[in-house]
Amino acid sequence: MDNNNLLRQLLMIGVGTTSLVAERLKQVTEEWVREGKFNPDQARSFVDDVMVQLNVNNSALEDQFQRLFRNTLQDLGVPRQAEMDELRGRLDRLERQVRDLENKSWK
């Protein structure tokens, strides 16, 4: 399995879990409002606070996954895009030099 695909799947699981939590939280607070345990404003505020906290935690989790992913790729010896671009540039220069040398030898 592609590591990038694995990371994407893990992030989607996190998003799906957050959506399920949000839906369940909405149901529970609606029930609490019906039972008179919360008034609608309290319920809305409670849900908003929980969702903010979940989003903060998801953001931190996403950052950790990305860091782990980059470190894993580095440990495996997979070059970064900038390194690949640099190597392509060096290869282009070397190919140009070889062509120039070949052209000189034919003259």
Side-chain angles (χ1 to χ4, degrees):
M1 180 185 298
D2 182 350
N3 284 333
N4 196 20
N5 192 23
L6 176 62
L7 178 63
R8 187 171 285 120
Q9 286 179 355
L10 289 172
L11 291 175
M12 292 306 294
I13 289 170
V15 169
T17 301
T18 301
S19 297
L20 289 173
V21 168
E23 183 61 32
R24 182 66 181 134
L25 184 61
K26 182 180 174 194
Q27 291 171 355
V28 168
T29 55
E30 286 173 356
E31 184 178 320
W32 288 344
V33 168
R34 278 193 305 274
E35 293 173 356
K37 294 179 181 178
F38 272 13
N39 69 43
D41 291 334
Q42 287 175 317
R44 210 174 354 266
S45 176
F46 177 73
V47 169
D48 290 345
D49 290 345
V50 170
M51 292 310 296
V52 165
Q53 194 61 34
L54 281 175
N55 287 334
V56 167
N57 289 340
N58 276 346
S59 178
L61 187 59
E62 184 177 342
D63 290 344
Q64 287 176 329
F65 274 129
Q66 296 231 355
R67 218 175 5 264
L68 175 63
F69 183 66
R70 279 192 307 270
N71 290 342
T72 301
L73 290 177
Q74 185 177 4
D75 290 347
L76 292 172
V78 176
R80 294 186 322 260
Q81 186 63 46
E83 293 171 320
M84 291 298 296
D85 292 343
E86 180 185 341
L87 287 173
R88 282 188 186 102
R90 290 174 64 189
L91 182 60
D92 288 344
R93 283 190 300 278
L94 287 172
E95 286 175 340
R96 204 171 16 254
Q97 288 175 350
V98 167
R99 272 194 309 273
D100 290 346
L101 287 172
E102 286 175 342
N103 288 338
K104 285 181 183 178
S105 68
W106 284 100
K107 290 181 181 181

